[in-house]
């Protein structure tokens, strides 16, 4: 593709864009939201006609006037939101719109199943062509999309954020499939915000910014700082500009939240405290118990023992509503499954926690709620035309900012953020980091759970590390390094100086909200 230009009214989505892809390679396409990645791929897949530019296949000009022409040329686009019809079979999904026919003109279901099963076997799928598509997991439905591309003899397969809804194990399986397709000579164009995926898969990387070509990198040239610099024009270190709280300053500040021997489920008795204006990080391997501990604090899961104190007073958080009344907010890691109502508007999602305060005679005061939503959109810089847009139509970064806006409205004393930048682009990450720093500057105690060690190291004043449901150590100041975190997160020996601190919860005697738990 060369000299590709595309405008929508006054908006120039692509400006003199170019892309070269070879057979038998995984070519990563990177850029922040709005950089033009999806638009470029829609031009290649025949959804959009370019205003100018040329597309060559095997060195010859190609006319990709519509998606059918693009598929006929061997180009298939697998969207992030999978196009699966749930109430029909896998084979019917694979051949939808291009059904095979018998000599009598009837649909040849048997041959469609045979060909589909052959491709599913090639992919190592654990289901059959006759299975109903709606009963499959998201990862399996994705394999159906890939099978559709292979059945139609694709030469170029475009995958747009394919791991967004997959577990780590499902992601590894997808990587194996992608590598196998590459080795069989297919060209894979892979769009992702996740740099770890690019390192693991890509043979080459093309970076876009503002609809234009910035550069192309080989694996030897790929490093986080260079990609970020190309994507946004700034160094990676600029995103982590955070002066850690000095030890003497930390000693002067009182704890907002103090946790003593809290346990439940897989979480073993855990004690810690977080101070006014402090950003406390929780690190550890997947399954270490960080999310489970956060859910205990928020009352989403019942604790079997322990005590929680807020500003020196023991409190009970038997459920999320009680936690919210005390000023504890929790942003879950699964924003689509546990945080947002995707078919509701941005405004409704942003004001959900305070809607009950704005009623008259039992009816919602929609004008007041619209004003609150508009203010939240401006404060969090949510990129949306207006507050009535369905939140499911927004990018991952903007969805996350809507979720943050909802909790901002309750004026929290403690804000727990679980994987706050998962699945968002680098610019949205920067804005979320600014939000965290702003909340801390206002005195809010912020707890950040993250699997990205550079993120934990870059934005946190202090870090607690968990392993197998227990807090194994505390790091502060210059001791917050990847090496020290991994020592504590694994079974390897670590210095005695990093032994976990076990602060006590102040006891102030019984209060109307105090509850004693024994276990």
């Amino acid at each position: 593709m060369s000299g590709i230009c595309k405008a929508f009214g006054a908006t120039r989505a692509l400006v003199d864009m170019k892309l070269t892809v070879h057979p038998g390679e995984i070519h990563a396409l990177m850029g922040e939201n709005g950089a033009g990645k999806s638009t470029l791929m829609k031009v290649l897949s025949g959804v959009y006609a370019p205003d100018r530019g040329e597309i060559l296949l095997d060195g010859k000009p190609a006319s990709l006037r519509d998606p059918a022409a693009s598929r006929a040329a061997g180009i298939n686009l697998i969207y992030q939101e999978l196009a699966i019809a749930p109430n029909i079979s896998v084979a019917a999904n694979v051949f939808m719109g291009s059904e095979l026919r018998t000599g009598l003109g009837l649909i040849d279901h048997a041959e469609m199943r045979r060909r589909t099963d052959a491709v599913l076997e090639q992919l190592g799928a654990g289901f059959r062509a006759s299975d109903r598509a709606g009963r499959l997991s998201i990862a399996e439905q994705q394999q159906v999309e890939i099978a559709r591309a292979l059945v139609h003899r694709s030469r170029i397969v475009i995958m747009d954020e394919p791991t967004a809804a997959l577990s780590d194990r499902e992601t590894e399986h997808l990587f194996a499939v992608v590598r196998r397709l590459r080795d069989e000579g297919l060209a894979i164009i892979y769009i992702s915000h996740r740099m770890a995926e690019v390192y693991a898969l890509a043979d080459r990387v093309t970076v876009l910014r503002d609809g234009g070509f910035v550069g192309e990198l080989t694996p030897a040239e790929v490093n986080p700082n260079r990609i970020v610099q190309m994507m946004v024009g700034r160094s990676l270190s600029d995103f982590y500009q955070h002066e850690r709280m000095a030890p003497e300053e930390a000693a002067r500040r009182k704890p907002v939240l103090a946790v003593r021997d809290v346990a439940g489920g897989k979480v073993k008795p855990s004690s810690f405290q977080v101070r006014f204006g402090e950003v406390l990080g929780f690190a550890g391997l997947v399954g270490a118990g960080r999310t489970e501990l956060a859910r205990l604090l928020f009352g989403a899961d019942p604790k079997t023992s322990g005590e929680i104190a807020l500003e020196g007073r023991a409190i009970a958080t038997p459920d999320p509503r009680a936690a919210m009344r005390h000023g504890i907010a929790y942003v879950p890691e699964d924003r689509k499954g546990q945080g947002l109502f995707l078919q509701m508007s941005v405004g409704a999602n942003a004001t959900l926690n305070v809607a009950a305060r704005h009623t008259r005679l039992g009816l919602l005061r929609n004008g007041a709620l619209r004003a609150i939503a508009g203010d939240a959109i401006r404060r969090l810089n949510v990129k949306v035309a207006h507050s009535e847009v369905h939140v499911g139509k927004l990018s991952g970064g903007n969805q996350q900012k809507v979720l943050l806006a909802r909790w901002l409205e309750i004026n929290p004393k403690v804000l727990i953020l679980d994987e706050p930048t998962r699945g968002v682009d680098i610019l949205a990450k920067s804005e979320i980091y600014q939000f965290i720093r702003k909340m801390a500057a206002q005195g809010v105690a912020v707890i950040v759970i993250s699997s990205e060690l550079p993120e934990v190291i870059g934005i946190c004043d202090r870090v607690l590390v968990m392993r197998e449901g227990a807090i194994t150590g505390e790091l502060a100041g210059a001791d917050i390094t990847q090496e020290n975190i991994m020592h504590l997160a694994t079974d390897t020996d670590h210095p005695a100086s990093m032994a976990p601190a076990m602060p006590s919860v102040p006891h102030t005697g019984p209060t109307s909200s105090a509850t004693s738990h024994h276990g």
Side-chain angles (χ1 to χ4, degrees):
M1 305 179 77
S2 60
I4 302 294
C5 297
K6 181 65 181 176
F8 299 95
T11 303
R12 300 172 71 194
L14 296 172
V15 183
D16 199 25
M17 182 58 205
K18 63 179 180 178
L19 175 69
T20 302
V21 182
H22 300 294
E25 80 164 350
I26 301 169
H27 195 118
L29 204 58
M30 296 196 74
E32 61 176 307
N33 285 334
K37 305 184 298 296
S38 294
T39 303
L40 184 68
M41 291 301 96
K42 286 179 179 178
V43 168
L44 182 58
S45 60
V47 176
Y48 296 149
D51 299 331
R52 288 200 309 276
E54 185 177 43
I55 301 174
L56 303 179
L57 290 175
D58 296 322
K60 300 175 183 176
S63 175
L64 308 177
R65 59 189 177 278
D66 55 40
S70 184
R71 280 195 298 272
I75 301 167
N76 267 278
L77 170 58
I78 300 174
Y79 290 95
Q80 181 177 347
E81 302 296 333
L82 302 178
I84 296 293
N87 294 317
I88 60 176
S89 71
V90 169
N93 270 279
V94 166
F95 282 92
M96 189 186 297
S98 55
E99 290 80 0
L100 302 179
R101 301 280 174 175
T102 66
L104 298 176
L106 302 174
I107 294 177
D108 193 342
H109 292 287
E111 179 63 14
M112 285 163 49
R113 285 195 298 270
R114 189 190 68 77
R115 293 193 192 183
T116 300
D117 275 331
V119 172
L120 293 177
E121 185 177 352
Q122 177 187 351
L123 294 175
F127 55 93
R128 304 281 294 173
S130 56
D131 291 343
R132 189 155 64 88
R135 294 178 177 171
L136 305 181
S137 69
I138 295 296
E140 290 171 331
Q141 289 182 9
Q142 197 167 61
Q143 287 182 306
V144 175
E145 292 268 23
I146 296 172
R148 183 185 294 156
L150 296 182
V151 159
H152 294 300
R153 302 184 186 278
S154 291
R155 303 171 62 205
I156 301 171
V157 176
I158 305 161
M159 308 184 82
D160 189 356
E161 296 286 355
T163 65
L166 303 188
S167 69
D168 290 343
R169 181 172 294 181
E170 290 168 337
T171 295
E172 283 300 321
H173 183 71
L174 175 67
F175 285 2
V177 169
V178 170
R179 292 187 184 105
R180 194 181 311 145
L181 297 178
R182 185 261 320 269
D183 294 343
E184 291 172 1
L186 270 72
I188 311 291
I189 300 176
Y190 192 93
I191 301 174
S192 178
H193 289 128
R194 301 177 179 180
M195 291 192 190
E197 294 183 5
V198 173
Y199 300 145
L201 287 176
D203 299 303
R204 281 188 301 144
V205 180
T206 289
V207 181
L208 291 73
R209 183 168 76 232
D210 298 331
F213 174 84
V214 178
E216 185 181 282
L217 302 172
T218 65
E221 297 170 323
V222 170
N223 67 69
N225 198 56
R226 186 164 186 182
I227 289 179
V228 171
Q229 186 95 41
M230 293 170 72
M231 285 169 58
V232 300
R234 284 184 283 161
S235 169
L236 184 62
S237 60
D238 293 344
F239 292 94
Y240 299 125
Q241 290 179 352
H242 172 62
E243 249 184 68
R244 287 201 186 107
M245 190 182 296
E248 55 273 16
E249 173 62 23
R252 282 197 296 268
R253 297 196 183 194
K254 294 180 180 179
V256 179
L257 182 75
V259 176
R260 182 184 184 186
D261 294 333
V262 164
K266 71 183 293 183
V267 179
K268 298 168 185 174
S270 300
S271 301
F272 67 91
Q273 61 186 23
V274 55
R275 307 175 182 94
F276 284 93
E278 182 180 33
V279 181
L280 176 66
F282 271 81
L285 303 179
V286 173
R290 298 165 299 166
T291 293
E292 290 81 358
L293 177 56
R295 289 176 60 85
L296 294 180
L297 301 180
F298 189 60
D301 293 328
K303 66 181 190 296
T304 55
S305 66
E307 188 174 68
I308 300 170
L310 192 70
E311 297 181 288
R313 290 169 59 89
I315 62 169
T317 57
D319 54 48
R321 184 174 293 179
M324 289 169 57
R325 281 199 304 269
H326 290 299
I328 300 174
Y330 173 53
V331 177
E333 62 177 328
D334 181 4
R335 61 175 167 269
K336 290 185 176 181
Q338 298 178 1
L340 296 169
F341 295 88
L342 299 180
Q343 300 306 315
M344 290 171 61
S345 70
V346 169
N349 273 276
T351 59
L352 195 64
N353 287 342
V354 295
R357 301 179 195 170
H358 299 277
T359 60
R360 180 176 294 152
L361 301 177
L363 299 175
L364 290 174
R365 296 170 56 209
N366 289 317
L369 292 174
R370 276 194 297 271
I372 293 170
D375 183 54
I377 288 169
R378 286 188 293 274
R379 290 167 69 186
L380 273 296
N381 194 28
V382 180
K383 294 179 175 63
V384 64
H386 52 78
S387 64
E388 297 306 308
V389 173
H390 281 185
V391 77
K393 295 182 178 180
L394 304 187
S395 68
N398 284 303
Q399 287 181 352
Q400 188 73 352
K401 287 189 280 186
V402 170
L403 194 51
L404 292 172
R406 178 195 299 168
W407 289 107
L408 198 60
E409 294 304 320
I410 73 166
N411 297 313
K413 297 175 181 177
V414 179
L415 176 61
I416 305 170
L417 304 174
D418 196 348
E419 302 289 358
T421 65
R422 174 172 287 174
V424 309
D425 66 51
I426 194 70
L427 188 58
K429 278 191 176 188
S430 175
E431 292 175 326
I432 291 170
Y433 296 155
Q434 291 174 23
F435 167 81
I436 291 171
R437 288 194 286 269
K438 185 175 180 180
M439 294 299 286
Q442 293 173 358
V444 177
V446 183
I447 296 174
V448 174
I449 299 168
S450 177
S451 298
E452 293 188 32
L453 292 188
E455 181 169 272
V456 171
I457 294 166
I459 67 172
C460 296
D461 297 304
R462 194 163 46 96
V463 176
L464 298 178
V465 184
M466 293 190 71
R467 182 177 73 242
E468 297 177 359
I471 296 174
T472 56
E474 176 183 314
L475 300 168
D479 288 333
I480 304 178
T481 66
Q482 292 201 31
E483 181 182 9
N484 286 344
I485 289 173
M486 290 311 297
H487 271 308
L488 293 167
T490 60
D491 286 329
T492 56
D493 292 334
H494 56 275
S497 62
M498 291 186 286
M502 305 290 280
S504 60
V505 177
H507 288 272
T508 57
T511 67
S512 58
S513 61
T515 302
S516 178
H517 294 271
H518 301 281

